[in-house]
Amino acid sequence: MSLKISASNNFMHKPLVKYLIVAGIFLLPIAIFGQNPLPKFSFGVEEATSPNDFVMTMQIVFLITILSLAPSILIMMTSFTRIVIVFHFLRSALATQTVPSNQILIGLALFTTVFIMKPVITEINDAALQPYIKEEITQQEAMDIAVVPIKAFMLKQTREHDLSLFIELQNSGQPSSPDELSMFTVIPAFIICELKTAFQIGFLLYLPMMAIDMIVASVLLSMGMMMLPPVMISMPFKLLLFVLVDGWYLVVESLVKGFG
């Protein structure tokens, strides 16, 4: 009888404990900030007391804009697009599904991109960023100087056929030199050229893997094992071939030298 009574008392106290916990959660901030007011954050536009305040505000807005556009700049104006597409084609050709994962492929593509773009980044830092920080040049001059190495890199990888397409679509006349080309013309031409190159490399990666699939499928068909998926049997042979030829070394080497 005593056991039943104690169990009943515990059951009756469970709702009370829940109410006490909930009340404690809501009353804890009041107990902490009882003597002091709660903090308040506010954003607004106020009148600048000096021209330097306005310049600093515009610099912060400009910096936030650059940071928000940084992913697009990284993807569309560097070697990242070609590298990440080739890596995804390679994973599909090996039929390993999610191995390596997207995070690993993107991370490898990112660091490879930084390695390839290092001369361009160094030139921008030495010729544009550092003089601007030292207040030796204006912001517009820094932007004009920084665009030059990026445009030179993109033009080096872009075919004349792709440039001609966007020059004709723009209806602005044939430029006399590459320096007269606008970034709005160079960037889309560079992107479609990178896509074509990446798909060409992906096709070449698929050829040996497709040959292995066909050989394995023919062997299984000749043995009467039609219900066994050929992909399940061919994948170990693909991995073996890829490891024996040191595939990652060859792929990364070809990608990096392709931007030389």
Side-chain angles (χ1 to χ4, degrees), residues 124-251:
I124 293 174
N125 180 67
D126 296 339
L129 182 60
Q130 293 303 322
Y132 175 69
I133 293 176
K134 296 177 183 178
E135 299 182 354
E136 297 175 357
I137 58 177
T138 63
Q139 179 178 328
Q140 185 60 41
E141 291 175 342
M143 291 293 295
D144 295 338
I145 296 173
V147 165
V148 174
I150 298 177
K151 183 190 290 187
F153 170 81
M154 291 191 292
L155 287 174
K156 188 177 180 181
Q157 309 300 328
T158 307
R159 300 169 302 173
E160 295 182 4
H161 178 68
D162 298 325
L163 282 173
S164 301
L165 170 64
F166 287 97
I167 291 174
E168 293 175 1
L169 294 175
Q170 195 173 11
N171 294 325
S172 59
Q174 191 71 23
S176 58
S177 65
D179 296 334
E180 297 181 2
L181 289 172
S182 156
M183 289 293 287
F184 297 102
T185 303
V186 176
I187 292 175
F190 171 75
I191 293 172
I192 64 173
C193 184
E194 288 294 286
L195 291 175
K196 180 179 180 180
T197 305
F199 275 70
Q200 290 174 340
I201 298 173
F203 173 75
L204 296 177
L205 291 174
Y206 257 98
L207 287 179
M209 305 304 173
M210 188 170 58
I212 294 176
D213 286 335
M214 294 177 65
I215 293 172
V216 171
S218 300
V219 172
L220 292 177
L221 185 61
S222 63
M223 296 175 62
M225 304 175 67
M226 294 178 293
M227 301 301 295
L228 186 63
V231 177
M232 186 175 63
I233 305 300
S234 63
M235 188 178 69
F237 292 100
K238 292 179 183 179
L239 295 177
L240 179 62
L241 174 64
F242 191 72
V243 171
L244 289 177
V245 300
D246 200 359
W248 287 110
Y249 174 88
L250 295 176
V251 171

Side-chain angles (χ1 to χ4, degrees), residues 32-105:
I32 295 175
F33 299 102
Q35 302 297 328
N36 300 318
L38 295 175
K40 176 184 178 182
F41 297 94
S42 62
F43 298 91
V45 179
E46 299 179 357
E47 184 178 357
T49 58
S50 65
N52 291 332
D53 294 340
F54 178 75
V55 172
M56 181 63 66
T57 303
M58 295 306 298
Q59 289 177 348
I60 294 174
V61 173
F62 176 75
L63 179 60
I64 294 174
T65 304
I66 293 297
L67 291 176
S68 62
L69 296 176
S72 299
I73 296 173
L74 173 65
I75 292 174
M76 298 302 177
M77 299 174 61
T78 64
S79 58
F80 183 84
T81 302
R82 183 192 304 186
I83 295 172
V84 76
I85 291 176
V86 170
F87 285 165
H88 279 280
F89 271 124
L90 177 60
R91 185 177 65 179
S92 300
L94 292 173
T96 53
Q97 296 180 357
T98 58
V99 179
S101 64
N102 290 333
Q103 290 82 357
I104 295 175
L105 292 182

